[in-house]
Each structure stands twice: as structure tokens, then as C-alpha cells.
């Protein structure tokens, strides 16, 4: 079996998580104190986001329209700030950088709408922390569709068996395996040590960062 040359990491649930769960954050807004309205709005946000995972259309305009439909002074910028309030797992990111230092390339492979993708790439600095980024909105196809992984394979130009993919959703892992990649289900909550064990299973043993 070929050695692993490239590792793909999902974002949400693997490398990062919301600072506050969206529904809880929405519930703190004066316009959304009623449970029925809150539940409806939170569900609508998820539906709008899902509709924008495979395109680069104006997500901000769609959220503005949704906020206007609620009224009550609901602010678009506040909603977008909640969606972009991301906590990056520092220990997992340290492992990613150790892998890169060992000579194995690391890419982000994630479903995102364009506004959040830009925030992750530029504000969180993922563009500099990975060798490349595969955002579904830029590719026009989302996981777990086969086309997502075929696009990645075509871009990388290497055999699937030399690529390892981590995702917290089993359906995405199964789709990656179907196109010939190696893949593992991994939830970032389980911690960096579990990630290191999974990497070792595939022959990847990054050197730990030297203590200062």
C-alpha cells in the first residue's frame, strides 16, 4: 500500500466548533425570545445555509431577507457574527502543523457557504495553515456527493490510496472510501491523542512540537 502523501481534514466537528451553539446564541437576541419564533428562525437559517453550500451566490443577502421577514429589529450583521463565531481546537491544529512539518501535505475539506468560507480562510488564517482548501461553495458540490471527492482527486492528481481523510460524519467517510481514499471517522472532541492513534494506524507519525 502506498504511503500517505496528503491528509484531508473536515472543519466543523474535527478542527473547530461553534463558540456558542447557534440556537442558544439566537435565543439571546431580543427579537427571538419566543420559543416558537426562535425554533422557526433557527431552522430557517439552517435551510438557507444548506441552499448555499454549492454556490458562491450572495449568502449575506439571503440572511438579510430572512431577518427582514422576522422584523423586530433583527440585525443581519449580528446573525452573521453568530455563524462565524468559531472556536478552533488548538491541540488538533498543532497536530496538523506537525504533520505538515514532517512533509505530508494537509488540506481543508469542508462544506461551507461563501461568507463563512471567506471568514475561515482569511480571518482564521486557514489559507496559511493548510496546503490548500476545498470549500464546497467554491467547488459547486458538497460532501457526501461523489463529485466532491472526484474533484479533490482530480486537483491533487495522486492515487486515492495515498490520501487520508478525516470527518466526523460517517456518510462522508464512506463516500471518500468509495472513490478509493483511505478515511476515518474522527470527532475533535475525542482529542489530539485519538487523532495521533488514527494517524499511526495509517503510518503517519508526526513529530511532537519541541517544548520551549
Amino acid at each position: 500500500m502506498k504511503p500517505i502523501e496528503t491528509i484531508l481534514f473536515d472543519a466543523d466537528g474535527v478542527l473547530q466548533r461553534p463558540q456558542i451553539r447557534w440556537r442558544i446564541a439566537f435565543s439571546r437576541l431580543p427579537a427571538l425570545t419566543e420559543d416558537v419564533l426562535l425554533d422557526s428562525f433557527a431552522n430557517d437559517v439552517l435551510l438557507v445555509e444548506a441552499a448555499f453550500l454549492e454556490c458562491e451566490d450572495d449568502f449575506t443577502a439571503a440572511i438579510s431577507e430572512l431577518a427582514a421577514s422576522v422584523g423586530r429589529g433583527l440585525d443581519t450583521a449580528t446573525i452573521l457574527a453568530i455563524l462565524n463565531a468559531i472556536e478552533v481546537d488548538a491541540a488538533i491544529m498543532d497536530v496538523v502543523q506537525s504533520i505538515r512539518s514532517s512533509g505530508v501535505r494537509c488540506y481543508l475539506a469542508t462544506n461551507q457557504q461563501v461568507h463563512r468560507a471567506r471568514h475561515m480562510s482569511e480571518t482564521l488564517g486557514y489559507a496559511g495553515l493548510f496546503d490548500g482548501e476545498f470549500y464546497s461553495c467554491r467547488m459547486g458540490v458538497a460532501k457526501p456527493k461523489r463529485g466532491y471527492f472526484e474533484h479533490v482527486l482530480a486537483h491533487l492528481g495522486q492515487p486515492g490510496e495515498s490520501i487520508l481523510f478525516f470527518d466526523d460524519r460517517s456518510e462522508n467517510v464512506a463516500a471518500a472510501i468509495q472513490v478509493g481514499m483511505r478515511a476515518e471517522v474522527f470527532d475533535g472532541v475525542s482529542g489530539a491523542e485519538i487523532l495521533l492513534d488514527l494517524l499511526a494506524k495509517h503510518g503517519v507519525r508526526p513529530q511532537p512540537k519541541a517544548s520551549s
Side-chain angles (χ1 to χ4, degrees):
M1 185 174 290
K2 292 183 178 294
I4 294 297
E5 299 176 4
T6 299
I7 301 179
L8 308 174
F9 289 91
D10 176 40
D12 296 297
V14 173
L15 300 167
Q16 64 185 38
R17 61 189 63 88
Q19 290 179 4
I20 303 174
R21 292 196 174 275
W22 292 354
R23 188 187 183 282
I24 295 174
F26 293 148
S27 72
R28 297 174 180 175
L29 302 179
L32 297 172
T33 54
E34 300 169 14
D35 284 346
V36 173
L37 180 59
L38 170 62
D39 289 340
S40 176
F41 179 78
N43 184 63
D44 286 345
V45 169
L46 292 175
L47 291 174
V48 169
E49 184 173 64
F52 281 78
L53 293 180
E54 296 184 339
C55 67
E56 294 189 87
D57 293 346
D58 192 351
F59 178 77
T60 300
I63 290 296
S64 295
E65 183 177 337
L66 179 59
S69 71
V70 174
R72 302 187 175 195
L74 194 57
D75 180 59
T76 301
T78 299
I79 298 168
L80 293 173
I82 289 171
L83 301 185
N84 285 349
I86 294 169
E87 178 184 344
V88 180
D89 190 311
I92 301 297
M93 287 302 300
D94 281 347
V95 173
V96 172
Q97 300 313 307
S98 295
I99 295 169
R100 294 183 70 201
S101 295
S102 73
V104 176
R105 296 178 298 173
C106 293
Y107 287 76
L108 195 66
T110 179
N111 290 346
Q112 302 292 337
Q113 38 83 1
V114 66
H115 187 271
R116 200 163 188 258
R118 186 181 306 115
H119 175 79
M120 290 165 57
S121 184
E122 299 175 5
T123 305
L124 297 185
Y126 284 173
L129 293 172
F130 290 89
D131 294 286
E133 303 161 290
F134 294 110
Y135 292 104
S136 63
C137 58
R138 297 176 182 174
M139 297 162 61
V141 62
K143 301 176 294 184
K145 292 180 180 177
R146 185 181 183 91
Y148 180 95
F149 296 98
E150 290 177 337
H151 179 106
V152 172
L153 283 172
H155 179 88
L156 294 176
Q158 63 188 85
E161 64 179 323
S162 68
I163 300 169
L164 176 59
F165 171 61
F166 289 106
D167 200 293
D168 63 321
R169 301 180 69 91
S170 59
E171 63 268 30
N172 294 338
V173 167
I177 291 172
Q178 286 176 357
V179 300
M181 295 181 184
R182 288 190 258 175
E184 297 282 352
V185 175
F186 171 72
D187 191 319
V189 173
S190 60
E193 290 301 320
I194 298 299
L195 176 58
L196 289 170
D197 288 344
L198 291 172
L199 288 165
K201 174 182 172 181
H202 294 272
V204 179
R205 295 176 175 83
Q207 294 299 313
K209 293 175 64 176
S211 57
S212 55

